[in-house]
Amino acid sequence: MLKAMREHADKQDWDAAASIPKDAAPYMHAKLASIQHTGRGGGPIQTVTYRKDSSMHTTPSLARLPPAAEMMRAVPAG
């Protein structure tokens, strides 16, 4: 099939060349199987939703960091 596709492409018969890969694809690329997912014991899947709360800060404020010059003085030379 790929040889026929290349022959059509060499002749610039683009419609015929383009129709062949769709027939050759199942032989070249595996199809993924469909799987039904279930939760524990065959029940529904449990989901957890996380939300960012304004009262929860995980990164320090830049205003609380010392100036760069002060940070450099704390690093020993060497």
Side-chain angles (χ1 to χ4, degrees):
M1 285 186 194
L2 293 175
K3 183 179 177 184
M5 179 187 70
R6 290 186 184 110
E7 288 175 5
H8 287 295
D10 290 342
K11 296 175 189 174
Q12 296 185 355
D13 185 1
W14 305 119
D15 292 332
S19 68
I20 294 174
K22 125 180 101 169
D23 297 327
Y27 299 100
M28 302 298 292
H29 307 285
K31 272 191 171 181
L32 297 176
S34 60
I35 300 172
Q36 182 173 350
H37 297 280
T38 58
R40 186 173 295 186
I45 297 173
Q46 179 183 3
T47 60
V48 179
T49 303
Y50 292 97
R51 65 184 173 101
K52 185 175 180 180
D53 191 0
S54 61
S55 65
M56 297 171 58
H57 295 287
T58 57
T59 55
S61 170
L62 292 177
R64 292 187 222 148
L65 295 175
E70 187 177 323
M71 291 172 59
M72 293 302 292
R73 281 191 296 241
V75 177

